[in-house]
Amino acid sequence: TLDALDAETEGMIGYLLQQALRNAARGLEVATLLTQVVVDRVDPGFARPTKPIGAVYPDRAAAEAAGHGEWSIAEDGRGFRRVVPSPDPKRVVEIGVIRHLVDAGVVVIAVGGGGIPVVEEADGSLHGVEAVIDKDLATALLATGLGAQRMLLLTDVDAVHDDFRGPNDRAVRCGSPAALRALSLPSGSMGPKVEAACRFAECGGEAVIGSLDELPALLAGRSGTMVSQRFEQLEWWTSASPSGTGS
């Protein structure tokens, strides 16, 4: 089932990250925690599958054949892929365990891939559902639950862009949640990251979106897009790419 595949993926990626972090910083205590995330069984996302997963097929017929006619299929730029529900995350089940580990000085790898989607019954029991939770929204939920002051969303672009790679491309330096939400952003890539950053900022934190390769510059405020309630409107970098500009 898809929830079991979510768990397998979370464990596999967590193992790779855990080993790499430990090898890079000897003596660092690192733990990967399989994390269940509660979703609402009547979330409208279950009726509108949108999250692409799995292989890319050259045409719709090939994708439908691979799924034996049981998959929802959608075009995904390079071809066609299976799409599954992506309900909104409501609660991280293991938040208390994560908090204990963090308080003990452990670096915790959690909610990998968005976590394992589960629904909660009236008696408190949990069971998995066929879905994939957006990883950025799950990260915001986790960061808020831990009372974090800053959340970094690391990706392969240097910042949030308006009209990305278009004739009017501009990179956002900082802005309020309301101002960021007013931008027209791709729902399959930057859109969820901005929404996650806005949710975290609305809870009093500061979110930064930018490139993994620019991590030191992100932390120093020399790159990326910062989202906080202390900003009233959007401010722009002076060039389309903020990397290394510092202006």
Side-chain angles (χ1 to χ4, degrees), residues 119-127:
V119 295
E120 188 171 17
E121 304 295 348
D123 63 359
S125 61
L126 304 171
H127 67 83

Side-chain angles (χ1 to χ4, degrees), residues 19 22 63 158 172 185:
Q19 188 178 80
R22 185 183 180 280
D158 50 21
V172 181
L185 300 169

Side-chain angles (χ1 to χ4, degrees), residues 86-235:
S86 184
D88 206 48
K90 299 299 184 184
R91 179 169 65 87
V92 177
V93 175
E94 287 80 13
I95 187 69
V97 178
I98 297 170
R99 189 179 294 111
H100 283 310
L101 289 170
V102 170
D103 289 344
V106 178
V107 174
V108 185
I109 301 168
V111 297
I116 306 161
V118 297
V119 295
E120 188 171 17
E121 304 295 348
D123 63 359
S125 61
L126 304 171
H127 67 83
V129 290
E130 294 276 309
V132 172
I133 299 170
D134 181 83
K135 61 185 181 299
D136 299 308
L137 298 182
T139 297
L141 184 67
L142 174 64
T144 301
L146 289 174
Q149 295 178 316
R150 177 182 283 188
M151 178 180 71
L152 303 181
L153 295 176
L154 305 178
T155 182
D156 58 355
V157 295
D158 50 21
V160 177
H161 286 245
D162 187 24
D163 193 32
F164 184 55
R165 293 179 178 171
N168 301 310
D169 189 344
R170 293 189 296 174
V172 181
R173 181 172 186 170
C174 59
S176 67
L180 266 293
R181 283 198 177 104
L183 295 176
S184 179
L185 300 169
S187 60
S189 54
M190 190 55 75
K193 286 180 170 53
V194 167
E195 176 59 28
C198 290
R199 292 185 186 186
F200 181 69
E202 287 169 340
C203 291
E206 179 181 277
V208 183
I209 303 173
S211 171
L212 173 62
D213 295 333
E214 296 290 327
L215 182 54
L218 287 176
L219 291 171
R222 300 193 308 271
S223 185
T225 298
M226 186 180 300
V227 187
S228 171
Q229 292 190 106
R230 61 189 176 91
F231 303 119
E232 295 184 359
Q233 56 189 2
L234 296 181
E235 296 180 19

